[in-house]
Amino acid sequence: MIRISKLELFFFLLIFDIFPSTISILQNEDRVPNAPQNVRVKTQSTSATLWWDAPPDPTVLIRGYTVEYGEGSISQRIVIEGPDSTSFTVTRLAPNTNYVFAVSAYNEAEGEDGTKVMVAAKTRPAEGVQTEKLWPPTSVRARIEEKSLGGSAIVSWDDPNPENAADNSIDATQRQYVINYGIYESDTQQKVRSNAKAVRLTGLIPGKEYEVAVKVVAGDGSESPWSIRDLFLVPETKKVSKFDWFCRLNDTEMCSIDSSPHWKLCTAKHDTYTQRDAGACPRVQYPSSPAHLTTPPISLPDAQHLCFYFRFALLNFHPGQMKVEIHPDGDTSNRQIVWKTRMANVRTHVVQNVYIPFPQQIRPFKVSVSLKWDGQPMPRVIVHEMDVLSGGCSERSTACNLVSESTTAANGDVDFDSSELPETF
């Protein structure tokens, strides 16, 4: 048994109390330090302050820390000497900018730093500097889709705010538009978002007046004021006979219409310079004359009065000719011309709405719209819609200056000059 005197015990306790760290902790540099703990950052408009706690292993000697940073990726490095410095302020940063930071401890083991701890932060906007003001959309307009199932409207607008570099960067959030609409003076309003400068509103109630307004939302979240609201009326739904045949030409289908090789489907275009619905338009390479669009066979033996409605626009002046013919299905030799005109009489860039009455057809029949021209390229005509209506034409043609000045068709529905054109093309 080892015996210790009271004096020896007194000196032992005295030394342990004065030099406890020397006895309990022996530090070395045989490996790099662990990662700093609890790294955090706080930013101002042009600076960022980082704090951290020392690595948890006290047996590994720490000679200092490194702070690295950059915009999006590491590009700058600062070395801090001494193990007791556990905070640092980075200066000369750009306002309102995203930065990444990295903190690590180092010693002389293998000449390398320890594990890095990464954090990200955004500096504040510069004081006294406001973000650029966004202007509200202009020319908000609604166009009713009368032939669609249920009430619907296409709402479009212009954006007066120019694009900037931030909008086009890879990491940018795309500019959006918020559309607020509802029944006029109603408490119930709905909102939809769109990345394009147009949107289709569906589920509208026929016979109700609606109001709509639009605002811009930039990629950084800033918003413009609301635009001036536009008011539009959704018309009452027309009662359609089960015999009626409708074809609204769009960019996906031709409604089983038989077309000559001259035609192709064109998409709608609505922008500052062009307001155009989808339809059938000429191909780039124009084959020789004539061109035609012909309905599929239609059987309406019980209809005492019939009406052919078609909607088209002429995009350039042309001396060619246009006509509409009816003929029995399977008998193209027995054609009846029900309407014809010279295209020189048609105003360009105006949508023509033409209603043509024709008599009862006991046998199945087809309706054909034909174009003929000599020595020039094919007329630039876009046909938007072709309908065959039972019950006759209840509306007068709204075509603008469609035909020559001196003649009026029977029933007052369509004007054309039958004396100027031959009976056949």
Side-chain angles (χ1 to χ4, degrees):
M1 177 181 294
I2 299 175
R3 296 182 179 273
I4 300 176
S5 66
K6 293 182 178 181
L7 183 61
E8 291 172 332
L9 179 61
F10 171 77
F11 280 110
F12 177 80
L13 295 175
L14 179 64
I15 294 172
F16 182 83
D17 183 61
I18 296 176
F19 306 106
S21 60
T22 304
I23 295 174
S24 60
I25 301 175
L26 297 176
Q27 293 182 317
N28 59 74
E29 292 181 276
D30 58 351
R31 58 187 176 87
V32 296
N34 293 328
Q37 302 294 297
N38 197 23
V39 178
R40 56 240 187 239
V41 61
K42 182 178 181 179
T43 62
Q44 301 296 330
S45 58
T46 59
S47 65
T49 300
L50 295 105
W51 296 269
W52 61 89
D53 297 332
D57 189 352
T59 64
V60 178
L61 179 65
I62 298 173
R63 294 191 177 273
Y65 298 91
T66 61
V67 174
E68 299 171 275
Y69 67 97
E71 295 183 30
S73 61
I74 298 298
S75 60
Q76 304 290 330
R77 187 171 190 265
I78 300 169
V79 177
I80 304 171
E81 295 185 357
D84 298 326
S85 298
T86 56
S87 66
F88 187 80
T89 298
V90 181
T91 59
R92 297 183 179 181
L93 302 180
N96 200 33
T97 303
N98 291 308
Y99 283 89
V100 292
F101 303 90
V103 180
S104 61
Y106 73 89
N107 57 19
E108 296 182 355
E110 301 179 2
E112 296 180 0
D113 294 344
T115 303
K116 298 178 181 179
V117 178
M118 307 284 291
V119 292
K122 185 177 183 179
T123 53
R124 296 181 179 181
E127 297 180 1
V129 177
Q130 298 181 351
T131 57
E132 185 177 353
K133 179 181 178 181
L134 287 172
W135 294 95
T138 59
S139 302
V140 178
R141 51 206 179 268
R143 177 175 56 84
I144 300 298
E145 295 191 304
E146 297 183 3
K147 302 300 182 183
S148 64
L149 296 176
S152 65
I154 299 293
V155 177
S156 57
W157 56 88
D158 298 330
D159 186 350
N161 301 286
E163 292 187 355
N164 53 48
D167 291 331
N168 296 319
S169 65
I170 295 176
D171 298 328
T173 302
Q174 188 174 4
R175 180 182 297 182
Q176 292 187 328
Y177 304 93
V178 179
I179 301 90
N180 185 88
Y181 71 99
I183 297 175
Y184 178 54
E185 295 186 340
S186 169
D187 295 332
T188 303
Q189 300 284 311
Q190 299 183 61
K191 289 185 174 67
V192 295
R193 284 180 176 260
S194 173
N195 292 329
K197 288 178 282 190
V199 68
R200 174 181 281 105
L201 304 180
T202 59
L204 306 180
I205 302 174
K208 296 292 185 179
E209 187 176 29
Y210 281 78
E211 58 183 343
V212 60
V214 185
K215 69 178 178 181
V216 183
V217 180
D220 61 1
S222 59
E223 300 181 356
S224 75
W226 288 103
S227 68
I228 298 174
R229 65 180 178 176
D230 182 51
L231 301 178
F232 63 95
L233 177 66
V234 180
E236 293 284 355
T237 304
K238 179 183 176 183
K239 293 183 179 179
V240 179
S241 165
K242 65 179 181 180
F243 297 116
D244 291 1
W245 178 84
F246 293 103
C247 176
R248 183 163 189 174
L249 296 157
N250 56 42
D251 56 358
T252 59
E253 61 178 348
M254 291 279 283
C255 311
S256 301
I257 285 179
D258 176 34
S259 64
S260 60
H262 306 75
W263 304 95
K264 67 176 182 179
L265 288 172
C266 296
T267 58
K269 187 174 184 181
H270 298 279
D271 56 31
T272 305
Y273 306 101
T274 305
Q275 296 295 320
R276 185 190 72 201
D277 290 344
C281 61
R283 295 183 182 275
V284 176
Q285 300 295 328
Y286 305 117
S288 59
S289 173
H292 73 86
L293 292 168
T294 304
T295 69
I298 299 171
S299 180
L300 299 172
D302 298 326
Q304 298 294 319
H305 303 282
L306 295 167
C307 181
F308 178 66
Y309 164 73
F310 78 107
R311 182 163 57 95
F312 75 97
L314 180 64
L315 305 183
N316 65 327
F317 175 82
H318 199 282
Q321 303 160 356
M322 175 183 289
K323 69 177 177 181
V324 175
E325 297 175 296
I326 309 293
H327 66 84
D329 182 27
D331 184 8
T332 58
S333 63
N334 187 15
R335 293 177 176 268
Q336 178 187 1
I337 299 176
V338 294
W339 182 86
K340 56 186 175 181
T341 190
R342 293 188 183 278
M343 282 180 284
N345 297 324
V346 180
R347 284 179 58 188
T348 60
H349 299 283
V350 175
V351 175
Q352 315 290 343
N353 296 280
V354 182
Y355 294 82
I356 305 170
F358 61 97
Q360 182 180 18
Q361 303 290 312
I362 303 299
R363 296 173 53 188
F365 64 94
K366 295 182 178 180
V367 183
S368 179
V369 176
S370 302
L371 303 177
K372 183 182 179 182
W373 62 94
D374 295 314
Q376 303 92 13
M378 179 179 174
R380 292 181 61 204
V381 174
I382 180 167
V383 179
H384 300 296
E385 187 170 355
M386 296 170 60
D387 302 336
V388 176
L389 312 173
S390 61
C393 296
S394 59
E395 302 176 64
R396 177 176 172 81
S397 168
T398 57
C400 302
N401 293 349
L402 182 58
V403 293
S404 61
E405 306 137 355
S406 59
T407 59
T408 302
N411 301 328
D413 292 296
V414 180
D415 298 334
F416 66 94
D417 188 349
S418 60
S419 64
E420 291 189 4
L421 297 180
E423 289 301 314
T424 59
F425 284 178

